[in-house]
Every structure is written in C-alpha cells, then in structure tokens.
Amino acid sequence: MNESIVKDKEKIELEKLSMDKKFSRVATIRLIVFLTAVVLISIGLGKKNLLIVGGGALLILVFIYLVRYHSVINDRINALSAKAKVVDRYIMRYSGTWKGFKDDGSEFMTHDDTMSYDLDLLGKNSLYQMITIAHTNMGRKKLADSLSLKTDHVSEMEKRYEAISELTGKDSFLVDFEASSERILEKRELEQKRRLDLDEETDKSEIEEADEKTVTGFPVWMYPLMVLVPVVNIVVMVLVLMGTLEPSKILLTFIGGVIITWLPLGLHEKLKAPIGMYGPAANDYYKMLRLISEEEFSSEILGELKGKVADRDGSLRAIKKMDRIATLSNISYNPIVHIVLAGFFGWDFYISKLAADWTKKHSGVFEESTDIISDFEELGSLAVLSMVRETIKPKLSNELKFDVEEICHPLLSPDTVVSNSAKLDNKLTIITGSNMSGKTTFLRTLAINLVLSYTGAGVCAKSFKAPFVKIFTSMRVMDDVAGGISTFYAEILRIKDMAQYVSENHELPAFCLIDEIFKGTNSADRIVGAEQALKKLSAGNAMVVVSTHDFELCELKTVDGSPADNYHFEEYYENDELKFDYTIKDGRCTTRNAMAILKMAGLVQN
C-alpha cells in the first residue's frame, strides 16, 4: 500500500475540519448582512433617504457575494469529502473490504457473457468492482468492455502497459482525478433530484407546451422583457425616493416583475437545460482536463491524450464559461434570493440568454471532453490494481504453454492469498483434489490474470509466461427453468461452443477451462461423456484444463495417445481439524475429504 495515500487522508481530514468552521462563520455573517440590508432599505424607503437605501442595496450586493463565497466553500468541502472517499477506497482495496463498493458493472453483463460471470470480471465481488475509478458512463463502459475482452487491445498491449505502469506511479494524480470524476456523478444525481422536485412544484402543462416548440436560440420577444423588469423597478424606486409615488408601488412593480419573469417558466427551463446537464459538473470537468494538461507524461498513449486536451484549449474556455454561468444560476437556488432577483432584475431572462448563447457556440464540447476523460478512467482503473497488489509485466507469445511462478488471484487479500507455480504445456491437464482445496480458484487465477495481460495491465505473479488464446470457461453453470434448460444441458451447450470453435480450426488456439465437468449427471454417464468431450477438445488447436473428482479421468489420453498431465490439491489434518494449504502439486490426488466435511456439518455421526 502506498504510504502517501494514507498521509493524504490525514491532510484531507485536517483541511475539511478547517473548511467546516469557515462554512459556519460565513453562514452566520451572510444572515446578519441580509437582515441588516432589509432593515436599512425599509428605513430608507420610509424616510425617503437615498443614502440609507443605497447602503442597504450595497449590503444586498455583499450578501450576493457571500452567497457565492459560501457556495465555493461548500464546493471545496464536498470536493474534500469526495477525495476522502477515494482514499478510503484505496485502503479498502488493499484490506479486502472493497466488496461493498456501489458500482460493480452488473449492467454491462450480457446473458451470453459467461466468461465474465465465471471469472468474476463483472458483477458482484468482481474485478471491475474492485478496481474501477470510472464515474462517467463512457468510462464505465470502456472499462467493462476491456475486462470482458469485448474490446481487443492485443495489438496495443505494449503501449497500454507503458501507459498503465506510468499511471501506477502517479497516485496523487489518480486520487485528484477520481475525486473530480466522482463529483460529476454526485452533482448530476443532485441536479436530477432538484429538477424532479421542481417539476412537481411547477405547472407541467406549461413546461410540456414549451417543450413542444423547437427552441433554437434566445427568443427575440424576451429581449424587451429582460430590459423592462429592472428598468421599471429602478424608475419606481427613484420616484418613491423623490416623493412622487407611494412606497407601496415598489411592492407592486416587484410582484409584476416576478410574474413577467416566471410566466414563461417552461421556456426558461428548456433554455437552461444545458446548465442542468453540464453546469453542476463543469468545474470538475475543467479540473480533470487541467490535471491532464498540467501533468507530465512520457508514455505514448497518455502523451497523445494530453495532446488532445491541448488541441482543445477552446473547449477548456467553453467549459469554464459554463461553470461561471452555472455559478450565477446557482445563486438563485435559494428561494428567497430567487424571488428577489426575479422580481427586481428579471434574473431568469439573463440566465436563459447566457445558456442559449453558450449552447449555440459550444454544443458538443462536453461529449468530446468525456471521450478523453473516459480513456483516463479506463487506463487509471487498470493502474489501480498495481497500486494495491504486487504485479509484474506478463510475457506473451504464440507458443501454447503456460509457465507461471507464484501466481495469485487479484481479488484475494494479499495478506491471506496463497500463490502457486505451475507449467502447463500439454493439450490436456487434469486437476483433481479435495473439496474446497483450491482447484476452482486456481483455474480462475490463471484465467483472470490472462485477461489482465490482454488488457495491457500488470498480472499478480512473480513470473507469467502465457500464450495468445481464445478463452472459454465452464464453471458457474446454471439451469434455466423458464427456458427448460437443466444444469447438465447448460454445461453441454458451453462445451459445445468450445468444440465448435476448435473444429473450425481458428488460428488463435482455444483455452478451455472446465470446472467439475458434467457434475450435473450420474457418475457413469459423467465419466464416459467427459472422456469423449475432452478427447474431442484436445484433438484440435486447443489447451484444455479440467478439474474433477473422478479419478478415472486421470488415466485419460488424447486422440494421439499422449497421456494427460495431472496436478492436484489436497487437505491435511492438524489436531483433528481439516485444513488446506491451497498449493498445487504434481500428480493425481490420493485423498478424499467429503465425509470429514459432512461430519463437520453434523450430518454424519462418527
């Protein structure tokens, strides 16, 4: 675990404590200023004293500034909270308590993606869940597609490994980058909630009527109204101070200003839609792009991505402009402030005008920026693994054999995981062993590290030499009651897919991993069926590794007469307790432990 990440957490907590105190102080000052301004304006209007009214108006401006400043402090507190969450997740990844992370990539799993399900690439307790730092939808999908091998990165593995390795050494960059990325998600959820609440409070028929019309820019008829509201209010106030009008007229013009401003509410919402969509996260987009543009990268891929940001300097300015527009819009989130601004200044007209002009000039800038950000999210997620696990660069070749030393499963805690070493160079390998001894975990360990190597990431091993293959798995085979498919038949369909691929003589060899072959049928049929299936698979351009309790399969020979290689896992007893060392050994298993496990469960008497 990188010690600098732990130290970052301490610094974050101290700064957040300081900002919390400042937040409370500014809130108190803001309230005092507002009340004082109201009192001064009331007294000034009553006495018709322009100086007192001016003082009150000045305090209103101070109040608006304090509202903005208070928002900046709140945003910093939220940013620190997001950063603290990011640091906590790194610590949880190392300790093995990451399985409660919200995003597990389940939505990207398809019914036919059995490999992702079998190898825990996506879904609950998956590799995706442990390593993801992606919070944009595009970044999340790119990571899911990489881990499930839907996106082929083999041709650029070397470049990707260089980029991922470079990001591994930039923990501060990744923490700051993810913190901003997470804020995008949080702000988007808050904005969606705000808009839902707004829809419940407003006249939906008016909004729907506005939505039926195509709005291509700021309507011409709105220009006179946005000038009329503030001008009338100023004229009436001057006349009141001159004694020409009664003070009550100010209230009337104020109410009129509110009505005029809010009458086209649906149209305002439509014009301001880009603010709701991009505004809350604009500052975070800007921060991420600035982080990228200011960081030094030596790898080719990261250098090219940084170059794209530099080429889009206009995009940075556009995003910053949206942030300023959103800041002005956010001032009116306070209902009292909103009414005052709408009644006296026609505030919504000006925000709508700014939003319409921005949309006309900069439409699409966030989509372009998200493409760059999502690439960093995907590569950064893969770099996370090397930050919380010991990894090395895999060596891949076209030679159909595995030679791995001290290989570990990346999802198991480094404090408890048991590493294994093995050489697989036969067409058929049989792994036998006791229940719970580690057979299935070893199959998954091989395959998940192989997947990581194809994405360009590091693998959890001391040495990892592997071939380029097409991975097939048959592990967590489930029945389909609605579809009328039993577990046994579902497994047959899996193995049929393997056999079909092998029979088509693809240039890329098949790597077939089968756990407890044909466990869904009786022992006699299982052994005969397994023998035939394994001979068929190993006869082609394939490497087959199968785990089984059927010792009869240990004597199996391939079609060309070559005997299968045998490995096994076993248990041992210590003080009458059943234990496992989870270490792969040469040869076939010679022990059984089913009865011991049944006795431990109290289902069999001594």
Side-chain angles (χ1 to χ4, degrees):
M1 184 67 201
N2 196 317
E3 292 298 327
S4 64
I5 291 179
V6 179
K7 291 179 181 178
D8 276 348
K9 184 179 179 181
E10 297 173 357
K11 293 178 181 177
I12 292 166
E13 290 173 348
L14 288 174
E15 185 180 353
K16 187 174 182 299
L17 183 62
S18 173
M19 296 302 291
D20 284 336
K21 292 179 180 178
K22 184 181 290 187
F23 183 85
S24 299
R25 287 198 300 269
V26 173
T28 302
I29 295 171
R30 188 179 75 170
L31 178 61
I32 293 171
V33 168
F34 179 76
L35 294 176
T36 304
V38 171
V39 171
L40 287 177
I41 291 174
S42 299
I43 293 174
L45 291 174
K47 293 184 176 182
K48 299 180 181 179
N49 188 314
L50 183 61
L51 186 62
I52 297 176
V53 172
L58 182 62
L59 286 179
I60 288 293
L61 294 177
V62 173
F63 171 73
I64 293 173
Y65 168 78
L66 288 174
V67 169
R68 165 60 183 154
Y69 184 53
H70 200 239
S71 176
V72 170
I73 296 172
N74 185 57
D75 189 65
R76 180 57 183 165
I77 291 171
N78 290 333
L80 288 169
S81 296
K83 191 172 180 178
K85 289 179 184 177
V86 170
V87 172
D88 282 339
R89 283 199 292 268
Y90 276 96
I91 296 171
M92 292 170 73
R93 287 181 182 110
Y94 184 83
S95 65
T97 56
W98 50 267
K99 295 180 181 178
F101 292 174
K102 183 178 178 181
D103 186 12
D104 61 16
S106 295
E107 67 194 81
F108 301 110
M109 291 186 70
T110 56
H111 180 70
D112 59 346
D113 188 7
T114 55
M115 182 184 73
S116 291
Y117 180 63
D118 284 349
L119 302 182
D120 297 309
L121 301 175
L122 304 175
K124 188 176 180 181
N125 303 332
S126 66
L127 180 62
Y128 177 102
Q129 185 180 19
M130 186 182 84
I131 68 173
T132 184
I133 65 168
H135 298 291
T136 66
N137 289 333
M138 188 182 295
R140 295 173 63 244
K141 187 175 188 309
K142 283 183 178 180
L143 178 61
D145 287 348
S146 291
L147 292 178
S148 58
L149 301 184
K150 290 185 177 70
T151 302
D152 185 1
H153 294 299
V154 171
S155 62
E156 53 179 3
M157 281 191 313
E158 287 292 327
K159 292 180 181 180
R160 283 175 60 84
Y161 182 81
E162 183 184 4
I164 292 167
S165 296
E166 185 174 9
L167 286 175
T168 299
K170 294 182 178 292
D171 49 272
S172 295
F173 169 82
L174 284 181
V175 168
D176 289 338
F177 185 85
E178 186 188 356
S180 293
S181 179
E182 180 163 290
R183 291 285 289 136
I184 290 175
L185 181 63
E186 291 177 353
K187 289 178 179 178
R188 187 171 294 155
E189 290 174 348
L190 286 173
E191 176 63 19
Q192 288 173 348
K193 183 179 183 302
R194 186 191 74 83
R195 289 177 68 81
L196 285 173
D197 293 341
L198 179 66
D199 288 347
E200 290 175 0
E201 297 171 1
T202 53
D203 186 353
K204 287 187 174 60
S205 62
E206 184 179 7
I207 295 175
E208 289 169 1
E209 181 180 347
D211 286 346
E212 290 176 0
K213 301 175 183 178
T214 301
V215 180
T216 56
F218 191 73
V220 175
W221 58 267
M222 278 189 169
Y223 282 99
L225 297 179
M226 68 185 291
V227 174
L228 179 67
V229 172
V231 168
V232 169
N233 275 289
I234 292 171
V235 169
V236 169
M237 283 186 181
V238 171
L239 292 175
V240 167
L241 291 171
M242 292 173 62
T244 306
L245 293 177
E246 293 295 321
S248 60
K249 300 300 182 183
I250 294 176
L251 179 61
L252 290 177
T253 54
F254 169 76
I255 294 172
V258 172
I259 293 173
I260 291 172
T261 301
W262 286 358
L263 199 61
L265 182 62
L267 187 54
H268 281 308
E269 287 300 311
K270 194 171 183 66
L271 289 167
K272 293 189 292 183
I275 301 176
M277 186 178 298
Y278 304 118
N283 190 42
D284 296 294
Y285 270 93
Y286 182 79
K287 285 178 181 177
M288 284 190 287
L289 292 173
R290 289 289 294 178
L291 277 170
I292 294 169
S293 66
E294 293 173 358
E295 191 71 25
E296 291 296 325
F297 298 111
S298 58
S299 60
E300 183 177 338
I301 290 178
L302 298 182
E304 288 176 353
L305 289 173
K306 178 179 177 177
K308 289 181 180 179
V309 176
D311 292 342
R312 290 177 170 84
D313 188 54
S315 297
L316 280 172
R317 289 194 296 271
I319 291 171
K320 192 63 178 176
K321 186 176 181 179
M322 170 53 73
D323 179 50
R324 288 194 290 267
I325 295 172
T327 299
L328 292 173
S329 179
N330 290 347
I331 291 173
S332 63
Y333 274 13
N334 185 303
I336 296 175
V337 174
H338 194 186
I339 292 173
V340 171
L341 292 174
F344 283 121
F345 304 106
W347 188 258
D348 295 65
F349 287 114
Y350 292 91
I351 300 300
S352 294
K353 174 69 166 58
L354 289 171
D357 290 347
W358 186 92
T359 302
K360 185 177 180 180
K361 295 179 181 178
H362 307 296
S363 178
V365 68
F366 279 92
E367 286 75 8
E368 295 171 0
S369 300
T370 300
D371 189 40
I372 298 171
I373 289 169
S374 64
D375 283 336
F376 269 91
E377 287 181 321
E378 187 257 341
L379 292 168
S381 295
L382 294 169
V384 165
L385 181 65
S386 295
M387 295 171 68
V388 296
R389 298 290 186 270
E390 292 291 334
T391 63
I392 53 97
K393 182 179 181 179
K395 296 180 180 179
L396 300 173
S397 70
N398 293 318
E399 190 175 4
L400 191 56
K401 69 176 184 179
F402 284 85
D403 187 352
V404 297
E405 292 182 37
E406 298 182 19
I407 189 171
C408 300
H409 198 297
L411 301 187
L412 298 179
S413 171
D415 294 330
T416 58
V417 68
V418 176
S419 63
N420 274 292
S421 300
K423 293 183 179 181
L424 307 178
D425 55 10
N426 202 337
K427 301 278 284 183
L428 178 60
T429 299
I430 307 293
I431 300 179
T432 50
S434 308
N435 295 289
M436 305 189 303
S437 60
K439 302 186 302 296
T440 306
T441 300
F442 178 74
L443 296 183
R444 291 196 177 109
T445 300
L446 270 180
I448 198 170
N449 279 288
L450 190 60
V451 168
L452 284 168
S453 71
Y454 292 163
T455 66
V459 296
C460 298
K462 182 179 179 181
S463 174
F464 187 88
K465 299 176 182 177
F468 293 105
V469 292
K470 168 76 172 176
I471 303 172
F472 290 91
T473 61
S474 178
M475 295 180 181
R476 291 192 179 109
V477 182
M478 302 290 288
D479 60 4
D480 182 359
V481 177
I485 297 177
S486 67
T487 302
F488 177 58
Y489 188 59
E491 186 177 4
I492 287 176
L493 293 177
R494 295 259 196 119
I495 295 176
K496 179 184 176 183
D497 288 341
M498 300 178 190
Q500 182 175 345
Y501 181 89
V502 172
S503 67
E504 292 172 353
N505 294 317
H506 290 272
E507 182 179 350
L508 193 66
F511 183 45
C512 305
L513 295 158
I514 307 172
D515 185 39
E516 302 290 355
I517 187 168
F518 295 149
K519 55 184 172 289
T521 190
N522 64 80
S523 59
D525 288 343
R526 179 170 64 248
I527 293 169
V528 173
E531 288 177 347
Q532 296 301 314
L534 295 177
K535 282 185 177 181
K536 185 176 182 63
L537 290 175
S538 59
N541 188 21
M543 175 180 280
V544 185
V545 183
V546 58
S547 70
T548 181
H549 286 289
D550 297 317
F551 294 156
E552 293 87 344
L553 296 180
C554 294
E555 307 299 328
L556 190 61
K557 294 183 179 181
T558 60
V559 173
D560 63 5
S562 301
D565 281 349
N566 279 274
Y567 291 94
H568 74 278
F569 290 82
E570 61 186 17
E571 80 287 355
Y572 66 96
Y573 293 86
E574 188 176 284
N575 298 326
D576 293 328
E577 289 186 10
L578 180 65
K579 294 188 176 182
F580 306 94
D581 61 14
Y582 305 111
T583 302
I584 194 169
K585 300 174 178 66
D586 292 335
R588 53 168 286 179
C589 182
T590 58
T591 62
R592 303 172 186 268
N593 70 1
M595 291 301 293
I597 294 173
L598 289 169
K599 287 178 182 178
M600 288 168 57
L603 299 176
V604 173
Q605 299 298 320
N606 290 325

